[in-house]
């Protein structure tokens, strides 16, 4: 489950309910939580092409104020260095009980096959007075890019 500033990972039940990422209950409060992953740009990637990070998300109960998701993407070199944010898409609403894809564009200029990306999702919920269950659910994420071959 989610704690402090970390989104939670729900394992689900095999063959019944897939794994998901969830927030804490944001009812009558403000919650900002994060999940992070690394991704290696595929060896077949076409240099300098746009990459998209797609998040399928929904709310268990819609907030009476706002619920958004944002993605930050940094190139990480093998020596531990970090570049600047490559994501050109701003935070977008997920304040709906219907699951929907949210696409974040990653500037591929300067990216090459084998580069490592450090990706952080931020879910921010502000709610005034909803009873309970104002939680975000990330159903899945995927990375789309142009490849050779």
């Amino acid at each position: 489950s989610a704690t402090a500033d970390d989104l939670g990972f729900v394992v689900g039940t095999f063959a019944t309910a897939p794994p998901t990422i969830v927030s804490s209950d944001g009812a009558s409060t403000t919650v900002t939580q994060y999940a992070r992953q690394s991704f290696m740009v595929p060896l077949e990637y076409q240099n300098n092409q746009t990459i998209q990070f797609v998040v399928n998300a929904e709310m268990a109960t819609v907030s009476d104020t706002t619920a958004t998701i944002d993605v930050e993407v940094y190139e990480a070199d093998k020596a531990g260095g970090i570049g600047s944010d490559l994501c050109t898409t701003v935070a977008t609403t997920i304040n709906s009980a219907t699951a929907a894809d949210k696409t974040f564009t990653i500037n591929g200029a300067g990216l090459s096959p084998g580069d490592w990306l450090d990706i952080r999702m931020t879910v921010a919920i502000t709610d005034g007075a909803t009873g309970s269950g104002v939680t975000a659910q990330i159903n899945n994420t995927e990375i789309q890019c142009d490849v050779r071959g």
Side-chain angles (χ1 to χ4, degrees):
S1 64
T3 59
D5 68 349
D6 295 326
L7 290 165
F9 182 71
V10 177
V11 177
T13 302
F14 182 70
T16 303
T20 57
I21 297 170
V22 296
S23 72
S24 295
D25 190 347
S28 302
T29 190
T30 296
V31 172
T32 302
Q33 294 179 309
Y34 309 93
R36 186 173 167 203
Q37 73 181 71
S38 295
F39 175 77
M40 187 183 83
V41 176
L43 298 178
E44 300 83 7
Y45 168 69
Q46 290 280 28
N47 288 9
N48 301 315
Q49 297 299 308
T50 298
I51 297 173
Q52 294 183 319
F53 186 78
V54 182
V55 180
N56 183 274
E58 64 187 294
M59 297 294 292
T61 299
V62 175
S63 168
D64 66 6
T65 310
T66 62
T68 62
I69 189 163
D70 194 17
V71 172
E72 298 166 274
V73 180
Y74 290 80
E75 181 181 1
D77 68 27
K78 293 181 180 167
I82 298 289
S84 58
D85 188 4
L86 301 175
C87 184
T88 61
T89 308
V90 297
T92 186
T93 186
I94 56 170
N95 202 17
S96 172
T98 302
D101 287 343
K102 304 298 178 176
T103 302
F104 295 86
T105 300
I106 300 168
N107 181 352
L111 291 179
S112 300
D115 286 345
W116 281 94
L117 301 179
D118 187 6
I119 302 168
R120 183 172 81 162
M121 291 186 299
T122 303
V123 170
I125 301 168
T126 300
D127 185 74
T130 305
S132 65
V134 183
T135 58
Q137 178 172 304
I138 310 300
N139 298 312
N140 62 39
T141 63
E142 61 184 59
I143 296 179
Q144 301 171 348
C145 61
D146 293 333
V147 295
R148 296 184 300 266

